[in-house]
Amino acid sequence: MLSLVCLLSSVTYPGDDSHIYYSDTTYFKRYIYKDYNLTLGTLWAPFLVKARESHPNGYSANSRMNLYLDEPEETWAAQVEMFDYVIVSAGQWFFRPSMLHEKGRLIGCSNCKEENITDLTTYHTYGRAFRTLFRTLLRLENYKGVTILRTFSPSHFENGVWNAGGNCPRTRPFAIGEMNPDQYILDMHSTQIEEFRAAEEIGKKMGLKFLMIDTTEAMFMRPDAHPNYNGHSPRSNTSIADCVHWCLPGPIDTWNEMLLHILRTRQRPQNGTH
């Protein structure tokens, strides 16, 4: 959302009412554009479904998560009905070790490397989370919004994984002939597309609109657009490269150009006049 706020700042600046709605204003935001009757909000739920730390001492970089795959995270489910457009996305958090629950019981894990627990894979976890997300939106009595899926955003680690020397030193985009995406990128993308298509079909019968901003291939071509070793917060480990997040301004501004195209297309009269 920061990219969108930055782009809109060329016209006007919002009021930040985040503190009125949320106690955690780091991850939850509410910006008000009074002159345009526009509200932008961020509802933080990186796993989409209910997620709780499994370690009693709380979060750490490698701690396991308990994921409840059939329960939506209340941080978004309790508020989503008030929005006219809902953009959903999730990705890199699903590579963390996770213990998976359904119907109140442990059914397996993802990346846990436990001998006596079935590894159901990251893709299963990812697909079930999106299924629960979409089914929740379809079930909510007062949800009349347009749901927009922004597809999986790949990372670009080279020379190792994120916590073992991996970095992203490239200074230019991939050329077409250099494109060779890892299979996991294709699998993450296809997994969420499958769940999206199923929800889209049900939504049509209910009068609910499901749209997609497919950014995966375009973002894969930009290994040069990550912070790498730059832009760390004062308390972060500066020896670890950031090849997941994106620089601003940068290619993620294109996401909002795609969003603007969707909004303009929906508002255009059926006879083609403007």
Side-chain angles (χ1 to χ4, degrees), residues 14-183:
D16 187 348
D17 286 1
S18 304
H19 64 285
I20 298 175
Y21 294 92
Y22 311 114
S23 57
D24 180 355
T25 57
T26 301
Y27 294 107
F28 295 84
K29 294 293 185 181
R30 189 71 64 92
Y31 294 114
I32 310 297
Y33 295 83
K34 292 183 179 179
D35 292 341
Y36 294 87
N37 192 28
L38 172 66
T39 299
L40 296 181
T42 297
L43 303 177
W44 173 250
F47 294 100
L48 306 177
V49 296
K50 179 180 175 181
R52 300 294 182 267
E53 291 286 344
S54 62
H55 196 283
N57 293 329
Y59 173 84
S60 70
N62 296 304
S63 61
R64 293 178 181 174
M65 301 296 296
N66 283 311
L67 301 186
Y68 302 86
L69 298 179
D70 53 350
E71 300 180 45
E73 183 62 82
E74 281 299 308
T75 53
W76 67 263
Q79 300 185 59
V80 72
E81 290 174 298
M82 66 180 65
F83 291 95
D84 297 311
Y85 290 86
V86 175
I87 302 172
V88 298
S89 63
Q92 300 295 333
W93 282 76
F94 284 86
F95 294 105
R96 289 189 60 172
S98 300
M99 310 305 290
L100 309 178
H101 304 258
E102 283 191 18
K103 298 181 179 179
R105 65 183 183 88
L106 181 69
I107 63 168
C109 72
S110 175
N111 302 315
C112 70
K113 299 179 181 179
E114 292 281 351
E115 292 184 0
N116 298 322
I117 301 178
T118 302
D119 192 326
L120 295 175
T121 77
T122 300
Y123 311 115
H124 173 87
T125 308
Y126 197 52
R128 290 293 287 113
F130 270 99
R131 185 178 303 178
T132 295
L133 165 78
F134 292 136
R135 287 182 176 180
T136 300
L137 294 175
L138 291 166
R139 286 198 302 262
L140 287 173
E141 182 178 357
N142 297 316
Y143 179 66
K144 307 300 179 185
V146 176
T147 304
I148 303 174
L149 169 67
R150 197 268 295 157
T151 61
F152 180 73
S153 180
S155 62
H156 289 92
F157 287 101
E158 300 181 52
N159 308 309
V161 296
W162 71 273
N163 59 349
N167 57 12
C168 38
R170 294 179 185 263
T171 58
R172 63 174 181 81
F174 284 137
I176 294 295
E178 295 175 310
M179 287 189 61
N180 186 27
D182 292 334
Q183 186 61 42

